[in-house]
Amino acid sequence: MRLTVNDVTIGYTDEGRGVPLLFVHGFPLSRGAWQKQIDALRSSYRVIAPDLRGFGESEARTGPVTMAQYTDDLHALLQQLKSGPVVLIGHSMGGYVSFAFLRQYPKMVHGLVLVGTKAAKDTPEAAAGRRATAEKVQANGIEVVIEAMAPKMLAADNHDRAMAEQVRGLMTPSKPAGVIGALLGMAERPDVTAELACISVPTLVITGADDTLIPSRESEKLAQSIPGSQLNIVPHAGHLVAFEQADKFNHVLNEWLDRAAFPVLVSA
């Protein structure tokens, strides 16, 4: 399905009924990264999974895309879908977007799930690296990003070639302008560490034990700083934990959703 929000056509999935769960994918992926969660949860929840602008089936525009801009797109999409407040589930860059969403639209968030992400902003060196990568994408296309990131999405001891190819397939629809915009936007995103103590909605933090892109210690910091949050470190999983260890991830998520009593909430 596709809708136009903020002058950009967004591809999205909207399946099931009940409490709405909003899944926000990471970089440089697409909503297909959540397909195993969509399949598992749509019988009990309303599952909404968009492609962020410039990724998957969504259109791109030139220039940096801030986390606030992604947030405005998501909010506009939810308004059109008449979802009501959601449980917000963000992976990696999707986590950065989730922090911005919670800041800008707090009444739209019933609960928060942070997957393989962190609160700190880029170091000057990391930000410079993103800008340099953006220049390479401008010159040579998105393959430079796919070649660099695809091998790091799964645990190092995962030799499942079919899964590795699936991961690459989640990246290939990305548009060069979308990848460039995200890189430049992430490079300038703010540090939200000081905001963590103010998060008052139920929060689950999940990470892969073998994540080398955003190590599990970053998730430990999140859980220690967010009042009442739950931390779960999934063994034998890399950065793309929800895809690589879907059964374990879904079990943890389902149990947390049940304990948090979100099923008693009624979506609009």
PDB file of all heavy atoms in Angstrom, residues 73-91:
ATOM      1  N   ASP A  73       6.912  12.431   8.915  1.00  0.00           N
ATOM      2  CA  ASP A  73       6.325  11.525   7.920  1.00  0.00           C
ATOM      3  C   ASP A  73       5.501  10.439   8.611  1.00  0.00           C
ATOM      4  O   ASP A  73       4.377  10.129   8.189  1.00  0.00           O
ATOM      5  CB  ASP A  73       7.423  10.858   7.089  1.00  0.00           C
ATOM      6  CG  ASP A  73       8.128  11.809   6.131  1.00  0.00           C
ATOM      7  OD1 ASP A  73       7.629  12.936   5.916  1.00  0.00           O
ATOM      8  OD2 ASP A  73       9.184  11.418   5.598  1.00  0.00           O
ATOM      9  N   LEU A  74       6.076   9.848   9.646  1.00  0.00           N
ATOM     10  CA  LEU A  74       5.377   8.776  10.351  1.00  0.00           C
ATOM     11  C   LEU A  74       4.091   9.284  10.995  1.00  0.00           C
ATOM     12  O   LEU A  74       3.048   8.625  10.935  1.00  0.00           O
ATOM     13  CB  LEU A  74       6.293   8.160  11.415  1.00  0.00           C
ATOM     14  CG  LEU A  74       7.518   7.403  10.912  1.00  0.00           C
ATOM     15  CD1 LEU A  74       8.362   6.930  12.087  1.00  0.00           C
ATOM     16  CD2 LEU A  74       7.120   6.218  10.032  1.00  0.00           C
ATOM     17  N   HIS A  75       4.168  10.438  11.610  1.00  0.00           N
ATOM     18  CA  HIS A  75       2.986  10.998  12.257  1.00  0.00           C
ATOM     19  C   HIS A  75       1.893  11.283  11.232  1.00  0.00           C
ATOM     20  O   HIS A  75       0.710  10.975  11.460  1.00  0.00           O
ATOM     21  CB  HIS A  75       3.349  12.279  13.011  1.00  0.00           C
ATOM     22  CG  HIS A  75       2.203  12.865  13.771  1.00  0.00           C
ATOM     23  ND1 HIS A  75       1.505  13.958  13.327  1.00  0.00           N
ATOM     24  CD2 HIS A  75       1.613  12.486  14.933  1.00  0.00           C
ATOM     25  CE1 HIS A  75       0.545  14.250  14.182  1.00  0.00           C
ATOM     26  NE2 HIS A  75       0.580  13.372  15.167  1.00  0.00           N
ATOM     27  N   ALA A  76       2.285  11.844  10.089  1.00  0.00           N
ATOM     28  CA  ALA A  76       1.308  12.126   9.041  1.00  0.00           C
ATOM     29  C   ALA A  76       0.683  10.835   8.514  1.00  0.00           C
ATOM     30  O   ALA A  76      -0.526  10.784   8.237  1.00  0.00           O
ATOM     31  CB  ALA A  76       1.972  12.896   7.904  1.00  0.00           C
ATOM     32  N   LEU A  77       1.475   9.792   8.398  1.00  0.00           N
ATOM     33  CA  LEU A  77       0.957   8.498   7.959  1.00  0.00           C
ATOM     34  C   LEU A  77      -0.057   7.950   8.958  1.00  0.00           C
ATOM     35  O   LEU A  77      -1.151   7.497   8.588  1.00  0.00           O
ATOM     36  CB  LEU A  77       2.104   7.507   7.771  1.00  0.00           C
ATOM     37  CG  LEU A  77       1.707   6.084   7.375  1.00  0.00           C
ATOM     38  CD1 LEU A  77       1.069   6.046   5.995  1.00  0.00           C
ATOM     39  CD2 LEU A  77       2.925   5.149   7.438  1.00  0.00           C
ATOM     40  N   LEU A  78       0.303   8.002  10.248  1.00  0.00           N
ATOM     41  CA  LEU A  78      -0.618   7.509  11.281  1.00  0.00           C
ATOM     42  C   LEU A  78      -1.911   8.306  11.304  1.00  0.00           C
ATOM     43  O   LEU A  78      -2.986   7.743  11.551  1.00  0.00           O
ATOM     44  CB  LEU A  78       0.061   7.565  12.653  1.00  0.00           C
ATOM     45  CG  LEU A  78       1.265   6.638  12.859  1.00  0.00           C
ATOM     46  CD1 LEU A  78       1.856   6.848  14.249  1.00  0.00           C
ATOM     47  CD2 LEU A  78       0.881   5.180  12.652  1.00  0.00           C
ATOM     48  N   GLN A  79      -1.806   9.606  11.059  1.00  0.00           N
ATOM     49  CA  GLN A  79      -3.018  10.429  11.026  1.00  0.00           C
ATOM     50  C   GLN A  79      -3.928   9.986   9.889  1.00  0.00           C
ATOM     51  O   GLN A  79      -5.141   9.889  10.056  1.00  0.00           O
ATOM     52  CB  GLN A  79      -2.649  11.909  10.866  1.00  0.00           C
ATOM     53  CG  GLN A  79      -1.914  12.503  12.062  1.00  0.00           C
ATOM     54  CD  GLN A  79      -2.739  12.465  13.341  1.00  0.00           C
ATOM     55  OE1 GLN A  79      -2.520  11.634  14.210  1.00  0.00           O
ATOM     56  NE2 GLN A  79      -3.702  13.362  13.444  1.00  0.00           N
ATOM     57  N   GLN A  80      -3.346   9.710   8.729  1.00  0.00           N
ATOM     58  CA  GLN A  80      -4.158   9.261   7.599  1.00  0.00           C
ATOM     59  C   GLN A  80      -4.753   7.878   7.859  1.00  0.00           C
ATOM     60  O   GLN A  80      -5.870   7.584   7.433  1.00  0.00           O
ATOM     61  CB  GLN A  80      -3.326   9.244   6.314  1.00  0.00           C
ATOM     62  CG  GLN A  80      -2.980  10.621   5.780  1.00  0.00           C
ATOM     63  CD  GLN A  80      -2.683  10.613   4.296  1.00  0.00           C
ATOM     64  OE1 GLN A  80      -3.358   9.947   3.520  1.00  0.00           O
ATOM     65  NE2 GLN A  80      -1.658  11.349   3.896  1.00  0.00           N
ATOM     66  N   LEU A  81      -4.001   7.034   8.560  1.00  0.00           N
ATOM     67  CA  LEU A  81      -4.477   5.685   8.854  1.00  0.00           C
ATOM     68  C   LEU A  81      -5.404   5.651  10.063  1.00  0.00           C
ATOM     69  O   LEU A  81      -5.967   4.589  10.373  1.00  0.00           O
ATOM     70  CB  LEU A  81      -3.282   4.749   9.096  1.00  0.00           C
ATOM     71  CG  LEU A  81      -2.341   4.531   7.906  1.00  0.00           C
ATOM     72  CD1 LEU A  81      -1.192   3.605   8.313  1.00  0.00           C
ATOM     73  CD2 LEU A  81      -3.087   3.958   6.708  1.00  0.00           C
ATOM     74  N   LYS A  82      -5.529   6.784  10.761  1.00  0.00           N
ATOM     75  CA  LYS A  82      -6.390   6.890  11.944  1.00  0.00           C
ATOM     76  C   LYS A  82      -6.070   5.783  12.957  1.00  0.00           C
ATOM     77  O   LYS A  82      -6.959   5.112  13.474  1.00  0.00           O
ATOM     78  CB  LYS A  82      -7.871   6.833  11.538  1.00  0.00           C
ATOM     79  CG  LYS A  82      -8.278   7.916  10.547  1.00  0.00           C
ATOM     80  CD  LYS A  82      -9.770   7.886  10.271  1.00  0.00           C
ATOM     81  CE  LYS A  82     -10.163   8.854   9.156  1.00  0.00           C
ATOM     82  NZ  LYS A  82      -9.729  10.233   9.375  1.00  0.00           N
ATOM     83  N   SER A  83      -4.788   5.649  13.242  1.00  0.00           N
ATOM     84  CA  SER A  83      -4.331   4.543  14.091  1.00  0.00           C
ATOM     85  C   SER A  83      -4.567   4.788  15.577  1.00  0.00           C
ATOM     86  O   SER A  83      -4.731   3.849  16.346  1.00  0.00           O
ATOM     87  CB  SER A  83      -2.833   4.302  13.872  1.00  0.00           C
ATOM     88  OG  SER A  83      -2.071   5.343  14.459  1.00  0.00           O
ATOM     89  N   GLY A  84      -4.545   6.051  16.005  1.00  0.00           N
ATOM     90  CA  GLY A  84      -4.479   6.326  17.428  1.00  0.00           C
ATOM     91  C   GLY A  84      -3.066   6.078  17.937  1.00  0.00           C
ATOM     92  O   GLY A  84      -2.152   5.779  17.160  1.00  0.00           O
ATOM     93  N   PRO A  85      -2.843   6.179  19.256  1.00  0.00           N
ATOM     94  CA  PRO A  85      -1.509   5.951  19.820  1.00  0.00           C
ATOM     95  C   PRO A  85      -0.996   4.549  19.517  1.00  0.00           C
ATOM     96  O   PRO A  85      -1.768   3.597  19.415  1.00  0.00           O
ATOM     97  CB  PRO A  85      -1.724   6.160  21.321  1.00  0.00           C
ATOM     98  CG  PRO A  85      -2.922   7.043  21.402  1.00  0.00           C
ATOM     99  CD  PRO A  85      -3.811   6.623  20.274  1.00  0.00           C
ATOM    100  N   VAL A  86       0.325   4.444  19.403  1.00  0.00           N
ATOM    101  CA  VAL A  86       0.952   3.195  18.985  1.00  0.00           C
ATOM    102  C   VAL A  86       1.986   2.725  20.006  1.00  0.00           C
ATOM    103  O   VAL A  86       2.456   3.496  20.850  1.00  0.00           O
ATOM    104  CB  VAL A  86       1.659   3.364  17.621  1.00  0.00           C
ATOM    105  CG1 VAL A  86       0.685   3.793  16.548  1.00  0.00           C
ATOM    106  CG2 VAL A  86       2.824   4.365  17.733  1.00  0.00           C
ATOM    107  N   VAL A  87       2.330   1.452  19.907  1.00  0.00           N
ATOM    108  CA  VAL A  87       3.554   0.953  20.522  1.00  0.00           C
ATOM    109  C   VAL A  87       4.632   1.110  19.453  1.00  0.00           C
ATOM    110  O   VAL A  87       4.536   0.537  18.366  1.00  0.00           O
ATOM    111  CB  VAL A  87       3.420  -0.517  20.950  1.00  0.00           C
ATOM    112  CG1 VAL A  87       4.746  -1.025  21.513  1.00  0.00           C
ATOM    113  CG2 VAL A  87       2.315  -0.669  21.983  1.00  0.00           C
ATOM    114  N   LEU A  88       5.629   1.908  19.737  1.00  0.00           N
ATOM    115  CA  LEU A  88       6.643   2.319  18.768  1.00  0.00           C
ATOM    116  C   LEU A  88       7.853   1.396  18.873  1.00  0.00           C
ATOM    117  O   LEU A  88       8.452   1.272  19.953  1.00  0.00           O
ATOM    118  CB  LEU A  88       7.029   3.765  19.045  1.00  0.00           C
ATOM    119  CG  LEU A  88       8.030   4.456  18.134  1.00  0.00           C
ATOM    120  CD1 LEU A  88       7.554   4.428  16.682  1.00  0.00           C
ATOM    121  CD2 LEU A  88       8.222   5.902  18.590  1.00  0.00           C
ATOM    122  N   ILE A  89       8.203   0.754  17.769  1.00  0.00           N
ATOM    123  CA  ILE A  89       9.276  -0.239  17.758  1.00  0.00           C
ATOM    124  C   ILE A  89      10.308   0.173  16.718  1.00  0.00           C
ATOM    125  O   ILE A  89      10.041   0.144  15.509  1.00  0.00           O
ATOM    126  CB  ILE A  89       8.707  -1.638  17.434  1.00  0.00           C
ATOM    127  CG1 ILE A  89       7.596  -1.997  18.432  1.00  0.00           C
ATOM    128  CG2 ILE A  89       9.811  -2.693  17.443  1.00  0.00           C
ATOM    129  CD1 ILE A  89       6.786  -3.212  18.045  1.00  0.00           C
ATOM    130  N   GLY A  90      11.498   0.593  17.152  1.00  0.00           N
ATOM    131  CA  GLY A  90      12.501   1.119  16.237  1.00  0.00           C
ATOM    132  C   GLY A  90      13.815   0.387  16.320  1.00  0.00           C
ATOM    133  O   GLY A  90      14.351   0.151  17.407  1.00  0.00           O
ATOM    134  N   HIS A  91      14.367   0.035  15.154  1.00  0.00           N
ATOM    135  CA  HIS A  91      15.645  -0.660  15.073  1.00  0.00           C
ATOM    136  C   HIS A  91      16.726   0.279  14.557  1.00  0.00           C
ATOM    137  O   HIS A  91      16.548   0.927  13.520  1.00  0.00           O
ATOM    138  CB  HIS A  91      15.535  -1.863  14.128  1.00  0.00           C
ATOM    139  CG  HIS A  91      16.855  -2.476  13.773  1.00  0.00           C
ATOM    140  ND1 HIS A  91      17.355  -2.493  12.495  1.00  0.00           N
ATOM    141  CD2 HIS A  91      17.784  -3.081  14.555  1.00  0.00           C
ATOM    142  CE1 HIS A  91      18.533  -3.097  12.498  1.00  0.00           C
ATOM    143  NE2 HIS A  91      18.816  -3.456  13.729  1.00  0.00           N
TER     144      HIS A  91
END
